[in-house]
Amino acid sequence: MSKATTAVEVLAGDNSTAALDVERVRQDFPILRQMAYGQPLVYLDNAASAQKPRQVLDAMQEAYETYYSNVHRGVHHLSQLSTDAFEAARDKVARFINARSVDEIVFTRGGTESINLVAATYGRKFLTAGDEIVISHMEHHANIVPWQMLRDELGVVLKVAPIDDDGNLLLDEYEKLLSPRTRLVAMTHISNALGTVTPIRDIIRLAHERGAKVLVDGCQAAPHMILDVQELDADFYVFSGHKMYGPTGIGVLWGKEEILNDMPPYQTGGEMISVVTLEKTTFKKAPHRFEAGTPAIVEAIGLGAAVDYLTGLGLDNIHAHEDGLLAYATQRLGAVPGLVIHGRAKEKASIVSFLMEDIHAHDIGTIVDRAGVAVRVGHHCAQPVMERFGVAATARASFAVYNTRAEVDALAEALDKVRELFAR
Ligand code: 7TS
């Protein structure tokens, strides 16, 4: 995490760690050669969606041009090739997160759908009125609203673990919320609004001690750190393809096989059944039970290519590079007069959320955009944590493997312009 790199090392170093040549990485991303308003594009909105390397684009193009067909339903040549490539992608994802079995990897449309799937199937089957679900104060709406819907439908109780003023999860307070009625903890691994890395191992252990299941929202963690779902020992882990250099429209629900096979289907239709008569239907086991209809075939293949790409660079190298950038950006942006960083947790990753005096976040975003710098402004689909910090919105810079310190400098210089404009 950020504390592994001291500021002195950061300022003395260049863009590349020994094992990661960032300039070469940038060559893989054609879009980074674009200009915005006549300025070199500085893309710092990676927590919303990361850009795609040539390797992912090529794999998808090749699929469409040479072996595209529907999967799991044809005996013909292309269908077999397509099915093999689709299932090979599942296998790559399984190995990427060290799943015990490839059957634990359910392809969904994204992290949001993965959470909704668990709420709609596991939630409806196993939770009843009075049961308790624990989330945190810094969840993305995707990990709040499905549980509120379940609360309203079933009468389950939703409890919220608090955070401190720096954005650290208060583990003692979390533990106090756990009770014999706690059935599920649904918690982010990394906050998209603050960058906080939660103490997920402790969160999982304490929940399991009470017999509760744990869903981890790993949307921000998957592109950033080595994941080992067996070692973490959660019950569900979810993430999206598009934040980890893969395409949109594809995501992952990992679940322990025995739990997945105990859950009813989510959507129903083609490919998820064993036998259908007009009287009754039996269902396949996981993962196919949860993949009704034609899946996002080429998107899954693209995700497989993204996994290969990440693995090729090395998640530990990516992690080290992004932590170096975070430390540099914290110092460089922190030195901009009037700038306040929201989220200063002890363990942080690749995200700096900030405001400048009473300047609205949208004004910040619009002005830096004119300098070619893309940041996200708004509530980041995490309104409760904005409210916790007493702000309506922040500007957020989020870093990926291809970002450089020069780009952090470009943001800082654009922020100086913002300040000058508003000082008049
Ligand atoms: N959970 C977290 C922690 C996220 O950051 C996001 C997306 C989601 C869930 C939902 O992912 P999706 O792929 O299904 O949309 N976060 C952001 C963001 O920070 N800016 O835009 C999307």
Side-chain angles (χ1 to χ4, degrees):
M1 300 303 107
S2 52
K3 68 183 177 189
T5 318
T6 68
V8 175
E9 281 164 352
V10 168
L11 292 174
D14 63 11
N15 281 322
S16 304
T17 58
L20 193 84
D21 180 345
V22 177
E23 287 311 319
R24 269 198 62 194
V25 169
R26 290 180 70 81
Q27 301 299 317
D28 292 333
F29 291 81
I31 206 169
L32 297 180
R33 295 195 280 277
Q34 292 292 309
M35 307 287 275
Y37 305 106
Q39 314 278 335
L41 172 70
V42 174
Y43 187 77
L44 300 178
D45 192 19
N46 297 287
S49 203
Q51 300 298 346
K52 320 305 169 200
R54 173 63 66 202
Q55 290 80 344
V56 169
L57 303 174
D58 285 351
M60 295 178 74
Q61 176 103 357
E62 188 197 8
Y64 277 125
E65 286 186 354
T66 65
Y67 63 87
Y68 177 77
S69 174
N70 212 329
V71 291
H72 295 143
R73 55 196 89 199
V75 292
H76 61 76
H77 179 61
L78 291 187
S79 179
Q80 286 175 22
L81 290 179
S82 211
T83 303
D84 288 350
F86 180 72
E87 290 303 328
R90 196 190 304 278
D91 199 47
K92 286 175 187 183
V93 172
R95 271 184 274 135
F96 182 63
I97 61 172
N98 195 30
R100 196 176 307 131
S101 155
V102 71
D103 292 337
E104 296 185 330
I105 306 299
V106 179
F107 282 134
T108 63
R109 282 197 302 124
T112 298
E113 189 177 50
S114 300
I115 299 170
N116 275 277
L117 191 163
V118 174
T121 62
Y122 183 87
R124 285 217 188 100
K125 177 167 175 188
F126 291 105
L127 304 187
T128 55
D131 284 346
E132 294 168 4
I133 299 174
V134 178
I135 61 172
S136 84
H137 208 146
M138 58 186 155
E139 299 305 319
H140 187 280
H141 296 164
N143 200 28
I144 301 174
V145 187
W147 311 119
Q148 288 178 339
M149 300 286 283
L150 217 52
R151 176 195 63 195
D152 297 346
E153 183 185 325
L154 302 178
V156 297
V157 177
L158 194 53
K159 292 181 162 180
V160 181
I163 58 175
D164 69 14
D165 292 344
D166 287 332
N168 294 296
L169 185 91
L170 295 170
L171 199 61
D172 291 349
E173 298 301 319
Y174 159 75
E175 186 170 5
K176 281 186 214 153
L177 293 180
L178 299 172
S179 85
R181 289 305 299 267
T182 310
R183 295 283 177 271
L184 185 72
V185 171
M187 196 76 75
T188 196
H189 198 166
I190 297 180
S191 152
N192 70 312
L194 305 176
T196 305
V197 182
T198 57
I200 203 69
R201 283 175 187 73
D202 292 329
I203 289 166
I204 295 167
R205 178 179 51 78
L206 291 167
H208 281 172
E209 281 171 14
R210 275 86 175 172
K213 299 279 186 271
V214 183
L215 176 143
V216 180
D217 176 353
C219 285
Q220 294 298 339
H224 178 72
M225 57 173 63
I226 294 173
L227 294 177
D228 181 337
V229 290
Q230 292 191 61
E231 189 254 324
L232 275 182
D233 193 35
D235 301 285
F236 304 103
Y237 197 97
V238 309
F239 51 98
S240 297
H242 68 97
K243 294 182 198 288
M244 47 188 286
Y245 313 103
T248 51
I250 188 81
V252 173
L253 164 65
W254 168 84
K256 285 182 178 157
E257 201 171 353
E258 61 278 14
I259 302 177
L260 290 177
N261 282 326
D262 236 8
M263 284 158 45
Y266 179 46
Q267 297 186 337
T268 54
E271 277 312 304
M272 47 79 69
I273 52 85
S274 291
V275 179
V276 180
T277 66
L278 290 177
E279 287 71 41
K280 110 179 223 297
T281 299
T282 54
F283 304 113
K284 283 185 180 154
K285 290 190 155 187
H288 301 291
R289 158 182 307 210
F290 302 106
E291 294 178 1
T294 299
I297 302 163
V298 178
E299 287 76 6
I301 291 165
L303 176 59
V307 163
D308 284 343
Y309 186 76
L310 282 164
T311 312
L313 293 182
L315 256 299
D316 41 0
N317 297 325
I318 295 171
H319 188 140
H321 172 66
E322 290 179 2
D323 276 358
L325 272 181
L326 174 69
Y328 181 71
T330 303
Q331 203 173 57
R332 185 77 170 83
L333 302 182
V336 174
L339 188 145
V340 175
I341 293 176
H342 290 287
R344 291 182 159 276
K346 287 196 268 320
E347 299 284 345
K348 264 194 77 173
S350 351
I351 285 167
V352 181
S353 230
F354 61 92
L355 280 173
M356 293 169 71
E357 290 158 358
D358 56 356
I359 306 170
H360 197 282
H362 281 88
D363 290 328
I364 298 175
T366 307
I367 296 165
V368 302
D369 180 50
R370 288 282 158 171
V373 182
V375 295
R376 179 161 178 200
V377 295
H379 53 59
H380 316 296
C381 301
Q383 282 181 349
V385 78
M386 295 287 111
E387 182 251 306
R388 167 69 179 77
F389 279 83
V391 297
T394 67
R396 180 189 69 182
S398 52
F399 307 109
V401 62
Y402 41 67
N403 289 126
T404 65
R405 286 166 205 194
E407 291 182 310
V408 173
D409 292 340
L411 171 61
E413 283 155 24
L415 292 172
D416 281 334
K417 278 189 216 136
V418 174
R419 201 166 48 87
E420 281 162 27
L421 274 171
F422 278 83
R424 286 200 198 126

